[in-house]
Amino acid sequence: MAEAYPTFLAGQRLTASLLRSSQEQVARKTSDTSRAAVTTTSPDPHLQFEVAANAVYRWQGWVKYDGPTAADLSLDFSAPVGSLGEWAAIGIGHSPVIGASPAPALQTDTQDARGYLTRFETNDVTSARSYGTLGTGNTPVTTWLYGMLRTSTTAGTFSLDWAQLASNATAVTLYTDSWLSMLRIA
């Protein structure tokens, strides 16, 4: 059975609040955020949502980032106590970044005509995964994110948390216009 939230009933008074609750919410980075020499993930200041207790959400997003190849990017999510769910992402694997050449052969730390090998694992909603960087000053890379969140009896904040995978004095940066969207479905 398809899920929808909220359920509109015949004769029900439609309010702005009720209509807004049925819309997808979007959080967008309005400025770059850089983190250097830190491997403990913490919430991004822009990519956060308040979520209700006993609710189900589907979410998706896109992050643009760069940083030194020795650091890579560690992504994680925070959710209210008791929350369950899964997430996955499509992004380049962490260092060494492996490219596939047209020969065919694999090449370490390179992009070639056929692009990069990617990660597709599914993760527990609050488990971290790492993604590769190509070096500060190179073309930034992107990662697509998507998942489900089921909250328990506790409302709270759902946030994208991130840090460097390996501590490095040169910062990893998440760029302006990276975004997450959430839609409550139950």
Side-chain angles (χ1 to χ4, degrees):
M1 171 185 236
E3 292 182 292
Y5 179 87
T7 301
F8 295 103
L9 303 172
Q12 179 178 8
R13 182 181 177 146
L14 295 180
T15 63
S17 175
L18 182 63
L19 291 173
R20 187 174 186 325
S21 71
S22 68
Q23 293 179 330
E24 187 168 32
Q25 304 299 304
V26 178
R28 179 183 63 87
K29 288 190 66 59
T30 56
S31 63
D32 297 349
T33 303
S34 297
R35 295 184 177 161
V38 60
T39 58
T40 301
T41 62
S42 62
D44 185 272
H46 304 106
L47 303 178
Q48 302 180 22
F49 295 91
E50 290 305 310
V51 294
N54 301 307
V56 179
Y57 297 87
R58 71 117 176 104
W59 58 268
Q60 61 184 341
W62 174 84
V63 293
K64 176 182 173 183
Y65 64 95
D66 80 352
T69 55
D72 287 337
L73 174 68
S74 179
L75 294 177
D76 196 359
F77 293 90
S78 291
V81 173
S83 295
L84 299 171
E86 297 283 328
W87 74 277
I90 300 173
I92 61 175
H94 64 84
S95 290
V97 174
I98 304 293
S101 73
L106 296 179
Q107 300 174 353
T108 302
D109 291 330
T110 186
Q111 176 197 15
D112 213 316
R114 295 190 186 194
Y116 303 104
L117 297 182
T118 57
R119 298 191 73 165
F120 293 99
E121 302 98 337
T122 184
N123 312 293
D124 181 73
V125 73
T126 57
S127 293
R129 286 285 185 223
S130 58
Y131 295 89
T133 52
L134 299 180
T136 305
N138 287 333
T139 303
V141 292
T142 62
T143 298
W144 285 98
L145 309 161
Y146 50 95
M148 295 290 290
L149 173 68
R150 296 183 316 277
T151 61
S152 184
T153 57
T154 306
T157 303
F158 178 75
S159 65
L160 171 72
D161 301 355
W162 65 279
Q164 295 177 328
L165 178 64
S167 182
N168 193 286
T170 303
V172 170
T173 302
L174 249 63
Y175 287 107
T176 302
D177 293 332
S178 295
W179 58 272
L180 285 178
S181 67
M182 286 194 97
L183 177 65
R184 184 169 178 183
I185 60 172

